[in-house]
Amino acid sequence: MAAPLSVEVEFGGGAELLFDGVKKHQVTLPGQEEPWDIRNLLVWIKKNLLKERPELFIQGDSVRPGILVLINDADWELL
Amino acid sequence: MAAREEVLALQAEVARREEELSSLKQRLAAALSAEDEPAPRVPVSPLPPKAALSRDEILRYSRQLVLPELGVHGQLRLATASVLVVGCGGLGCPLAQYLTPATALDLVRRYDVVADCSDNVPTRYLVSDACVLAGRPLVSASALRFEGQITVYHYDGGPCYRCLFPQPPPAETVTSCADSGVLGVVTGILGCLQALEVLKIAAGMGPSYSGSLLLFDALGGHFRCIRLRSRRPNCAACGERPTVTDLQDYEAFCGSSATDKCRSLRLLSPEERVSVSDYKRLLDSGSPHLLLDVRPQVEVDICRLPHALHIPLKHLERRDGKSLKLLGEAIQEGKRGAQEGAALPIYVICKLGNDSQKAVKILKSLTAIPELGSLAVQDVVGGLMAWAAKIDETFPQY
């Protein structure tokens, strides 16, 4: 069981326009059975933060082409 | 005698001016004939190696010549380096529309370093693929709204644009500077950083942003540098078994045109639309109607038609209660002004005639305003920019 997790989610380069123009979101992810990873964080963001047109943000189980996912100061692909 | 001196001076002056005039006439004739002929394609030959700096060059570059990292050695390399700049800011960059793949590749091969300052996705793929095929480093920068990014592709084993973005973004998700805006000084800052990266590569100092991406947020005032993935072994362009072995049709690949201008949507049938000329005739006839401007507030602040009712498309999309009430009232009032039983057509207008089509679709589906069901709703083809181009030349274009 993973404990609730506090993370700062930031959108930029135009992606913030899908979130009412708000770039920084301080969020608390609820505790759940599986540990949190980026894939289920993306789903959580889609359900809880996304204001409009989910297809502009998510396609399949990842972000749509053209969006880079960064964790702290690194490309998600590096991790 | 003073008078005699004046005559001589005037004669000399006349002779001098006549000579100047004849030289100007010659230049004019040359310029006119050059205007008639297409400009000859001057091949860019490699710049000759340079052995030493001139006295003037030493004076001009003295402040950077004393930097040990650059020095005379670096400055001489700079003097012989050639840089291709793709995209002439502000003018947009329809490069992919005009250059056939072969000429684009030829062009890139003639330069040592390439800078991508273009404003659209097809051009970015074209320039990146051309740099990979020609083996040239690519300094790529972009700016939108208050943000900018810069990175260096295909340098010393680093990733290329396709390593980061194997698939183009869906065309409808791409925001352009024409749609979303960009602050001039932000492009200026990114252009300076880009010039710096080009200079370091050309002088042999090596770039800072190969395999990393600098993000600049002008509103928050921060720079942030991100470590990027390395070259992807299965990249279609720079991977071990590349499938991009020649340049292709990038507009087809991206499903969008190589400009930052808006695509024209076709959501409505011709019967659901009117031209700006038709709308002008209707306006002049004084026939009762309602003109609905659905642009965002910032654009309405730039310019508007004074008689239009303004309700942004966003408000219609989320069926905003206040906006629907406003629209309902405007329809009631329009009907009172019209003759008993006369129809009150609604015309929807926006900047270019895309959002107005979406708005017509929404208005036709609205059940909150019962009167709407019986009204003819059409949009104005080409929007206010067509109005500015064809009807009222004093109307601002933006």
Side-chain angles (χ1 to χ4, degrees), chain B residues 324 327-329 331-333 335 344 346 366-377:
Chain B
L324 295 186
L327 179 60
E329 285 166 3
I331 293 174
Q332 295 286 351
E333 200 186 313
K335 280 201 156 173
L344 180 79
I346 298 181
L366 275 186
T367 48
I369 308 172
E371 293 91 337
L372 261 177
S374 60
L375 301 182
V377 186

Side-chain angles (χ1 to χ4, degrees), chain B residues 70 88 112 116-117 132 158 163 183 186 192 212 285 298 318 361:
Chain B
L70 186 79
C88 274
D112 302 311
D116 186 352
C117 321
V132 170
C163 295
L183 193 69
V186 175
C192 284
S212 66
S285 74
V298 275
R318 69 170 119 98
K361 286 273 184 209

Side-chain angles (χ1 to χ4, degrees), chain B residues 290-294 308-311 316 327 346-349 363:
Chain B
L290 183 66
L291 180 68
L292 182 62
D293 184 337
V294 295
L309 171 70
H310 172 229
I311 298 178
L316 293 176
L327 179 60
I346 298 181
Y347 297 98
V348 184
I349 199 159
L363 290 176

Side-chain angles (χ1 to χ4, degrees), chain A residues 7 9 27 29 36-46:
Chain A
V7 286
V9 182
V27 301
L29 305 174
W36 282 97
D37 61 11
I38 290 292
R39 246 170 254 284
N40 40 53
L41 174 62
L42 289 176
V43 174
W44 187 89
I45 289 173
K46 182 183 162 186

